[in-house]
Amino acid sequence: MARRRPKRSPWYAFVRWFVRVAFFQLWGGLKVVGAERIPSEGPVIFAPNHVSNLDPPIVACAQNVRQLTFMAKEELFVPVMGPVISSLGAFKVRRGESDTESIRRALAILEEGRALLVFPEGARGDGKTLQPVNRGVTML
């Protein structure tokens, strides 16, 4: 049975377009290399290094193939920020503990043939030294 490619929500598409224009095109653009390698359907994990708070929107804007579902640290789910990132597909992960609920949710997303964005190190780094990869990401 062939899987259908999940559709991108109009809200996600609008926010992605707005961020791409307002932040990246006005500030010199965004150079993307290798976007043709992103599968257009089926489960996929985006697992970049994490060096900036702008990493999630950069990854979302760098590819136009898939709508991403984000695994985001629990601390981001505060008034205003929480509802906004939830509306864009983010869900909470409790860092530093065995968060089986988040792992189950991530697996369900992949089973649905969707795209998942996770930062394997679990925190921002300096961009030069790779930090240890979290076990939960390895399990996925």
Side-chain angles (χ1 to χ4, degrees):
M1 179 168 160
R3 292 184 185 191
R4 281 191 271 152
R5 182 164 136 191
K7 291 190 174 190
R8 190 177 308 170
S9 79
W11 171 242
Y12 180 95
F14 169 76
V15 171
R16 185 188 165 280
W17 169 84
F18 178 80
V19 169
R20 191 172 179 122
V21 170
F23 290 94
F24 302 119
Q25 287 182 354
L26 293 177
W27 291 349
L30 182 62
K31 182 179 179 181
V32 179
V33 177
E36 70 280 356
R37 295 181 180 164
I38 299 169
S40 62
E41 57 187 43
V44 65
I45 298 173
F46 287 78
N49 291 346
H50 195 10
V51 296
S52 165
N53 287 328
L54 290 175
D55 290 339
I58 288 171
V59 175
C61 291
Q63 59 87 34
N64 193 27
V65 179
R66 312 288 294 266
Q67 177 169 331
L68 302 178
T69 301
F70 304 79
M71 185 180 278
K73 66 181 180 179
E74 184 176 43
E75 296 84 2
L76 292 175
F77 292 84
V78 295
V80 180
M81 175 68 106
V84 170
I85 63 175
S86 291
S87 74
L88 295 169
F91 65 96
K92 296 177 188 179
V93 62
R94 291 185 314 272
R95 300 182 304 164
E97 57 184 87
S98 296
D99 188 353
T100 56
E101 182 181 331
S102 293
I103 295 297
R104 277 193 227 115
R105 183 146 184 205
L107 288 171
I109 288 162
L110 294 169
E111 287 171 2
E112 293 168 5
R114 295 166 48 202
L116 177 67
L117 173 63
V118 297
F119 293 104
E121 299 166 278
R124 287 185 310 279
D126 62 9
K128 298 174 187 169
T129 307
L130 189 62
Q131 299 176 54
V133 173
N134 287 320
R135 290 185 309 237
V137 173
T138 307
M139 285 184 354
L140 294 174

